Amino acid sequence: MTTEVKKKTGFLYELRKNRALWVMLLPALVIVILFQYFPMAGLVLAFKNYRFDQGVFGSAWNGFDNFRYLFQSGTGWLITRNTIVYNLVNLVTSQALAILIAIFISEINNRVFKKLTQSFIFLPYFISWVIVGTFVYAIFNYETGVLNNLIISAGGEAVNVYNMPWVWPIIICCFNSWKWCGYNSVIYIAAITGVDREIYEAAAVDGAAIVQRIRHITLPTIRPTIITMLLLNVGRILRGDFEMFYQIVGNNGQLFNATDVIDTYVFRSLLQGSNLGMNAAASFYQSVLCFAIIMIVNATVKRMEPDYALF
């Protein structure tokens, strides 16, 4: 009797029972294995002195020399700091702005104006970073930029923003928030829409103002969504948005110390040099730290609020 039950609940039984679903899953499974798991074999480059004539597996092992060189040169700490700081600031600003926009749209009573506002705010998400980079260049270009034309027309002197590294963190964070706040706000709007409207009506009858309703009803209700979004984004805290940094900053060496992140450093190193071992070490270091951070943050959330943890 026990054997029969095991047969009916085993993997082969499920495979036969749901073979149509497994066939539908097969293309996605093959793609994930080919493009996600097979390339992981290349991680051995991080521990090798790679030579083109000897190949990936024929090159000599050099232990942690690639990692040691990455950090002894000072580059490793610089790009790690930039990546973490940029992602933390972008995470806070974009999510906070998305929450504010979601609350603002949910309080609009005119349905037509509400839809137009939501569509207008969502529009930047569809604009490529290549186009955004063009916008940035058109605004801050020293000779023909909009900013300098306005300054000169007002009687001032032109400013070379591309020679001012301290300004670019602000510029990058502003454009990142502008592009992503509309997309992120959709999730919060959906969470707010799920709140029972009778709660708001009861609060309004009791004399609660809009600010009070937002503070005591809206924000506590969408708190699980906020925590989930933060957890999902924390997992990418060591992965900078390569397109954003590369298209906005480009190859301006004067801005590298202020804007270089792990992704742009690896890409530029591959173009300018042949030290694949150190590039692989930087990527491997990035992946390990991402995994460690998401595990630590999830464990912290699970300890404080078990229901809000991812796993």
Side-chain angles (χ1 to χ4, degrees):
M1 187 71 178
T2 307
T3 307
E4 185 179 352
V5 172
K6 286 184 178 179
K7 287 182 179 178
K8 289 188 177 181
T9 58
F11 175 74
L12 293 178
Y13 173 76
E14 291 295 329
L15 187 63
R16 289 194 301 268
K17 181 182 176 182
N18 301 304
R19 55 182 176 273
L21 297 178
W22 284 100
V23 171
M24 294 171 63
L25 178 65
L26 186 60
L29 191 63
V30 171
I31 290 174
V32 170
I33 292 174
L34 286 178
F35 294 101
Q36 299 294 331
Y37 285 95
F38 279 179
M40 289 178 68
L43 290 175
V44 297
L45 281 174
F47 307 95
K48 289 198 169 192
N49 183 18
Y50 179 73
R51 288 180 50 178
F52 287 96
D53 59 335
Q54 295 179 353
V56 175
F57 299 102
S59 300
W61 296 90
N62 64 354
F64 291 93
D65 287 350
N66 292 323
F67 296 92
R68 192 176 298 111
Y69 177 77
L70 178 66
F71 287 96
Q72 284 180 348
S73 64
T75 306
W77 299 115
L78 175 67
I79 59 179
T80 301
R81 182 202 67 188
N82 288 347
T83 306
I84 293 176
V85 171
Y86 272 112
N87 281 328
L88 278 177
V89 175
N90 287 335
L91 174 60
V92 173
T93 54
S94 62
Q95 294 298 324
L97 190 58
I99 294 170
L100 290 175
I101 290 173
I103 293 172
F104 169 75
I105 291 177
S106 64
E107 293 295 332
I108 298 176
N109 294 322
N110 189 312
R111 298 181 66 179
V112 176
F113 180 71
K114 186 174 184 177
K115 290 183 179 297
L116 287 174
T117 304
Q118 187 174 351
S119 300
F120 181 76
I121 294 173
F122 194 78
L123 183 62
Y125 172 73
F126 297 102
I127 300 177
S128 168
W129 279 117
V130 178
I131 306 301
V132 175
T134 305
F135 289 163
V136 173
Y137 184 78
I139 295 172
F140 298 109
N141 180 259
Y142 180 75
E143 297 177 353
T144 60
V146 174
L147 178 63
N148 280 331
N149 285 333
L150 291 175
I151 293 175
I152 293 172
S153 63
E157 295 183 1
V159 178
N160 188 2
V161 179
Y162 285 91
N163 197 26
M164 302 166 61
W166 63 271
V167 176
W168 286 92
I170 302 173
I171 295 173
I172 290 173
C173 290
C174 288
F175 276 95
N176 178 80
S177 299
W178 169 77
K179 183 172 171 61
W180 286 102
C181 65
Y183 177 81
N184 292 331
S185 67
V186 173
I187 299 173
Y188 295 115
I189 291 172
I192 295 173
T193 304
V195 181
D196 190 353
R197 303 308 300 179
E198 292 183 359
I199 301 176
Y200 289 102
E201 294 172 2
V205 170
D206 290 339
I210 293 178
V211 176
Q212 292 174 318
R213 295 200 297 268
I214 292 172
R215 179 182 176 184
H216 297 288
I217 299 175
T218 304
L219 290 178
T221 304
I222 66 173
R223 185 183 173 191
T225 305
I226 296 174
I227 294 176
T228 302
M229 291 294 295
L230 290 176
L231 280 173
L232 292 173
N233 284 279
V234 161
R236 301 178 61 255
I237 204 167
L238 259 294
R239 297 195 177 277
D241 193 333
F242 169 76
E243 281 191 88
M244 177 181 67
F245 286 97
Y246 189 74
Q247 296 299 336
I248 290 180
V249 177
N251 288 318
N252 190 337
Q254 295 178 337
L255 305 178
F256 285 164
N257 287 340
T259 61
D260 214 11
V261 293
I262 297 176
D263 300 85
T264 54
Y265 169 78
V266 172
F267 176 77
R268 196 174 58 256
S269 298
L270 287 171
L271 291 181
Q272 298 176 355
S274 58
N275 193 350
L276 297 183
M278 195 176 70
N279 297 330
S283 298
F284 185 76
Y285 160 75
Q286 181 185 34
S287 300
V288 170
L289 274 187
C290 284
F291 176 75
I293 289 173
I294 189 62
M295 293 298 291
I296 292 171
V297 174
N298 185 74
T300 305
V301 173
K302 191 173 184 178
R303 195 169 189 177
M304 299 173 63
E305 295 285 350
D307 295 336
Y308 297 159
L310 289 178
F311 51 87

